[in-house]
Amino acid sequence: MQLAEVELDRITGDIFAAILGLTLDGHRASDTFPPDERVVTGVVQITGDFEGAVSVQLGEHLALRAAQLMFALEADELTDEEVTDTVGELANMTGGNIKSALAGSSALSLPSVTAGRDYRVSLPGTVIKDRIGLDCDGDLVVVALMQRDVTL
Amino acid sequence: MKILVVDDSKAMRAIVKRALSTLDRVAGATIVEAVDGKEAFATAQAEQPDLIISDWNMPEMTGIELLQALNEAGTCPSFGFVTSESTPEMHELARSNGARFLVSKPFTPEALDDALASAV
């Protein structure tokens, strides 16, 4: 499966610009969140000719800001469900666009979302094919593409 | 005009509704919502919308299954997809089942307006 044409930064940037009106300003030196920062992660799995997953991670500050923009609400009006829904939809759009860029026929799962501090996202049996950290007005966005390890 | 917006994501339903509210083409339309294809099928029977804008990938019943169910029931209004996935196979499957458009997420209100030109 050819992954060279999948541009995580362009795909993610297009989604943030079109849906949220936010600009992602290139790669950050670090793609790791501070251990004390609460991070919201959306994951979608891809099955078929390509087997893997896509994760999108936002710190809580940016997750709240994204939900505010999605729902046109103030931060104190948002529910946890709306923040979860927002990050899940960002992962769904990112995964869907990546899936569309891959050759072959694959299916996309519904998104799952988790939140917490100082954790790592790993899917057993997969390896990270690409992982980028992008800057959004000082907040970090981490996007990763994982692929099933066929050598296992 | 009545438009049924179907998406399991509340956030995306909000985005679609906001985009629709900016379009002269559907000015004054009443918007009703459903969270999956199964609920949308029931809502479509009860509300008789003029247009359904649906996500593709949803729990309970997918968007294409909804379109096929409405066709089988003989009650399908104008129908289009707004979805994060967009492959030639999906376009063909949508078209062959009578969908008027398939707009890829992320989308702009202008892209949605262009798509609606063929549907309303």
Side-chain angles (χ1 to χ4, degrees), chain B residues 13-79:
Chain B
R13 295 198 306 275
I15 294 284
V16 172
K17 285 191 297 179
R18 193 152 62 244
L20 289 171
S21 73
T22 68
L23 303 181
D24 291 340
R25 192 184 304 281
V26 292
T30 299
I31 309 294
V32 289
E33 300 177 46
V35 302
D36 56 44
K38 187 176 179 182
E39 183 177 290
F41 184 82
T43 304
Q45 306 306 310
E47 297 284 346
Q48 301 284 302
D50 303 289
L51 169 67
I52 296 177
I53 300 174
S54 178
D55 187 18
W56 188 290
N57 194 20
M58 296 181 289
E60 298 293 341
M61 180 187 281
T62 66
I64 191 67
E65 289 169 345
L66 168 63
L67 175 57
Q68 290 166 339
L70 290 166
N71 282 333
E72 287 176 15
T75 57
C76 192
S78 192
F79 194 107

Side-chain angles (χ1 to χ4, degrees), chain A residues 10 15 17 24 46 49 62 65 67 78 80 116 122 124 130 137 142-143 146:
Chain A
R10 181 190 59 76
I15 290 168
L24 298 182
I46 302 172
D49 290 338
L62 182 56
R65 187 179 177 202
L78 287 169
D80 287 344
S122 62
D130 198 4
D137 295 339
V142 176
V143 183
M146 292 155 271

Side-chain angles (χ1 to χ4, degrees), chain A:
Chain A
M1 179 59 58
Q2 179 56 259
L3 297 176
E5 294 178 1
V6 177
E7 304 168 89
L8 297 187
D9 51 355
R10 181 190 59 76
I11 288 172
T12 311
D14 287 350
I15 290 168
F16 272 65
I19 297 297
L20 304 174
L22 297 176
T23 301
L24 298 182
D25 292 322
H27 293 229
R28 298 245 298 219
S30 171
D31 61 4
T32 305
F33 291 92
D36 60 343
E37 182 172 5
R38 191 166 186 272
V39 176
V40 187
T41 301
V43 177
V44 290
Q45 298 194 47
I46 302 172
T47 54
D49 290 338
F50 180 91
E51 296 272 345
V54 175
S55 65
V56 178
Q57 297 185 283
L58 286 70
E60 185 171 45
H61 177 262
L62 182 56
L64 279 169
R65 187 179 177 202
Q68 283 181 259
L69 293 165
M70 280 264 202
F71 287 99
L73 292 173
E74 297 299 322
D76 59 3
E77 298 175 305
L78 287 169
T79 65
D80 287 344
E81 180 189 356
E82 286 163 340
V83 177
T84 295
D85 190 82
T86 295
V87 176
E89 186 55 31
L90 290 172
N92 180 50
M93 281 187 279
T94 306
N97 279 264
I98 289 172
K99 170 184 165 292
S100 297
L102 296 167
S105 177
S106 302
L108 194 69
S109 76
L110 296 171
S112 57
V113 178
T114 191
R117 291 179 174 81
D118 198 17
Y119 65 93
R120 292 181 60 188
V121 176
S122 62
L123 277 79
T126 67
V127 293
I128 294 175
K129 299 303 293 185
D130 198 4
R131 177 183 165 98
I132 56 171
L134 301 167
D135 186 88
C136 182
D137 295 339
D139 285 310
L140 175 63
V141 179
V142 176
V143 183
L145 173 62
M146 292 155 271
Q147 183 176 21
R148 181 169 300 283
D149 187 352
V150 294
T151 64
L152 293 176

